[in-house]
Amino acid sequence: MDPLRPTADDCLVLVDLQLDFMPGGALAVPDGDAVVPLANRLQTRFDHVVATQDWHPPGHSSFASAHPGRAPFESVEAPYGPQTLWPDHCVQETPGAAFHGALALDRAELILRKGFRPEIDSYSAFYENDRRTPTGLAGHLRERGFRRLFFAGLATDFCVRWSVEDARREGFEAVWIADACRAIDLDGSLDAATNAMADAGARRIESADLGL
Ligand code: VGL
Ligand code: ZN
């Protein structure tokens, strides 16, 4: 297959490449740091790059520590539906919320922060977990004329998956770069995510398909 050649209406979206999601971090994604060099190389293929940053206030409602008697990775019923509880992570202005130091960000045209409302989590880069509160990213990307979005980052089965599904819902073509993503994989969530992204009409590629 000829390599895919991104054009000026394509944008690379780098999802949550932050220290707390890296090995040793508060919500470590296995092998998460392996995608950082690839994220850097991928950027050379794109005219446009944006990045997301999980950005929670202390005591955020998605933290197990905010729910006495509950443990990380359990699920609770939030007003907007089931919410997985996480270890405290990506707390605003803490070292764990910072991007991985080896991640190139000079070409990031927008850094979108999400998850800052105390009572709502936001996996997706487009809508918070109530599925109603927009982050503004769709408007930004549409206004800039992008038609196709390529996703890489962490974690495949949460923030990448929800972002890819919402990209489709917002009318963008969506492509996820599987070897540039890593999963948390709770109870089969990676398989579920892979299927959900396919069902949403997103395409799955490998970085080799971009000639890398
Ligand atoms: C994420 C769980 C909680 C992610 C963020 O980036 O996939 N997962 N917050
Ligand atoms: Zn989070």
Side-chain angles (χ1 to χ4, degrees), residues 24-59:
L27 177 42
V29 179
D31 207 28
D33 53 344
V35 306
V36 171
L38 197 45
N40 291 343
R41 277 188 283 134
L42 280 169
Q43 295 187 56
T44 66
R45 289 287 185 273
F46 288 85
D47 292 348
H48 302 287
V49 179
V50 302
T52 67
Q53 188 172 27
D54 211 37
W55 194 249
H56 301 306

Side-chain angles (χ1 to χ4, degrees), residues 21 27 54-56 62-63 86 89-90 114 121-123 159:
F21 297 123
L27 177 42
D54 211 37
W55 194 249
H56 301 306
S62 74
F63 296 168
W86 303 106
H89 66 279
C90 298
K114 61 184 180 62
D121 203 3
S122 191
Y123 298 151
C159 292

Side-chain angles (χ1 to χ4, degrees), residues 14 25 31 43-44 50 52 63 106-107 125 142 164 173 181 193:
L14 298 175
D31 207 28
Q43 295 187 56
T44 66
V50 302
T52 67
F63 296 168
D106 52 303
R107 299 203 42 241
R142 249 197 309 272
V164 165
E173 287 180 53
C181 300

